[in-house]
Structures are given as structure tokens and as C-alpha cells.
Amino acid sequence: MELVGALFPHLDGVVVGRVVLAESSVQVEARCVASAVSCPSCRKASRRVHSRYRRRLADLAIAGRRVLMRLVVRRFFCTDASCDRKIYAEQSGLAPRYARRTSSPAASWRPSRWPWAAGRARG
């Protein structure tokens, strides 16, 4: 699991259950670790799980193999009777809502538009 942490440093908030190495891909199965999750509307924490669903996210390729994250996400009941939101899903921090790709730190790196000009001082 130390290797998984080195290859996927953005997986801090999840538990990796299994990593499957296929011929052209790497499949990572994970789930969130928080025992209680706050409602996005009223901010009250709940431990009452409503249901679970699987979310598929693409991540940066490793050694020429595409990476597919299979994340188990839980839905929770909001325990505040005055809150309008009755059910909400936990957010893992791997990707924003409805995203199909992870938001790993390395994914935000962009090469310079003119790589030969990097480091040159203007004079």
C-alpha cells in the first residue's frame, strides 16, 4: 500500500481496497473513510447512511496505462428536521460533483507555451 500512496498522493481521504493491473489499464477500487459527513445545506453531521453507489473517475495515466478509479460513495440522511435537504452524498475531494476525472495535483500542471523560453530573463 506504500506504493499506492506514492503513485496516488491525492487519495488521502479514501481507503484503497484493491488495485487491479490489466494489460492496458490500472483499476483502483476505493471508498471514503469519514464516519460522519456534514450536510451541505445545514452543516449538521450525520452517520445515517441511506445508500451507496459507484462512481467512475479517470485519473492520470501511469506508465502508459490509463487509470480508472472506482469510488464507492455513500448517501446520507440529513438529521436536522428543519433542513430542506433530506439526502445528500459525501464528497471525497477526488473530483468535483458530476466530474468524470479526478482533480489530482499533477493534473493541473501545464507545460509552458514556449518550453525553449523557460528561464530566460527579459532584457
Side-chain angles (χ1 to χ4, degrees):
M1 283 308 181
E2 194 172 311
L3 177 62
V4 172
L7 292 174
F8 306 105
H10 53 288
L11 295 181
D12 285 340
V14 299
V15 171
V16 175
R18 200 165 78 151
V19 177
V20 178
L21 219 56
E23 196 171 300
S24 63
S25 67
V26 176
Q27 296 178 8
V28 180
E29 294 181 11
R31 62 181 172 80
C32 295
V33 295
S35 59
V37 178
S38 297
C39 173
S41 297
C42 68
R43 303 283 187 237
K44 186 169 182 183
S46 176
R47 294 176 185 264
R48 292 186 55 210
V49 177
H50 174 272
S51 59
R52 291 174 174 79
Y53 67 94
R54 292 190 186 271
R55 191 170 172 194
R56 291 176 44 155
L57 300 167
D59 200 13
L60 292 175
I62 295 177
R65 295 180 182 180
R66 62 190 177 106
V67 176
L68 176 66
M69 299 279 190
R70 295 185 179 188
L71 180 66
V72 176
V73 179
R74 297 171 294 180
R75 289 187 183 107
F76 287 85
F77 287 106
C78 183
T79 56
D80 187 356
S82 64
C83 183
D84 291 336
R85 189 179 295 229
K86 301 301 177 201
I87 298 170
Y88 58 93
E90 65 187 335
Q91 299 299 312
S92 64
L94 280 178
R97 289 183 182 160
Y98 309 111
R100 298 195 185 269
R101 296 185 182 276
T102 62
S103 54
S104 68
S108 63
W109 179 82
R110 298 277 189 261
S112 170
R113 187 169 174 184
W114 297 289
W116 60 85
R120 286 191 191 171
R122 288 188 163 174

